[in-house]
Amino acid sequence: MILLGVPTVLLPNSLFTREIEPTWWSYPVWGVTAVLCGLLAATYVRNGNPPARTDEARSVTGVVLTWFAIGCPVCNKLVLLALGTSGALSWFAPLQPLLAVAGVVLLSIAVRTRLKRTRACPLPSPQNG
């Protein structure tokens, strides 16, 4: 998932910099998020059903929480404005693993809900003439 890897500098690049090295758990969370987002996107492509608002909200919230979780705590402008550098390191950094878990859980729930809805409303089979 390049959209998360580039700005969080889990994928080294020249566009963004990171002041603090990624934690050991950032890479697995990033991978799980990529898999869940791929599965979620596949449910939309397969049957074309419009998403329920709760699915959309869970998906977006899950990705945003994951982005905050795997990002650099002192590189995030929103966190720095709200907490300052010392607050980002002492308050926000310890919360990042919890944000990661919450993001993955929300994405998992969204995927599960989409898959249940797909089984409940199967696509019509073609009629042989």
Side-chain angles (χ1 to χ4, degrees):
M1 180 143 191
I2 294 173
L3 294 176
L4 281 178
V6 170
T8 59
V9 193
L10 294 180
L11 281 175
N13 63 78
S14 60
L15 298 173
F16 297 95
T17 58
R18 188 175 177 118
E19 301 296 323
I20 297 173
E21 289 298 314
T23 57
W24 67 267
W25 50 263
S26 294
Y27 292 99
V29 168
W30 179 42
V32 168
T33 301
V35 168
L36 290 173
C37 285
L39 289 171
L40 194 60
T43 65
Y44 292 109
V45 172
R46 182 168 186 255
N47 63 12
N49 288 342
R53 287 202 176 266
T54 55
D55 293 342
E56 287 179 343
R58 286 182 189 130
S59 303
V60 171
T61 305
V63 170
V64 169
L65 286 175
T66 303
W67 178 70
F68 276 114
I70 63 176
C72 173
V74 295
C75 301
N76 189 320
K77 305 293 187 247
L78 296 174
V79 173
L80 284 179
L81 284 173
L83 302 173
T85 304
S86 63
L89 290 172
S90 62
W91 289 83
F92 183 68
L95 290 176
Q96 285 182 298
L98 299 175
L99 294 175
V101 170
V104 168
V105 166
L106 285 173
L107 284 170
S108 299
I109 292 170
V111 169
R112 182 173 176 255
T113 303
R114 286 292 297 172
L115 291 175
K116 272 185 155 181
R117 197 168 289 132
T118 301
R119 277 185 271 157
C121 302
L123 292 173
S125 61
Q127 302 273 334
N128 291 339

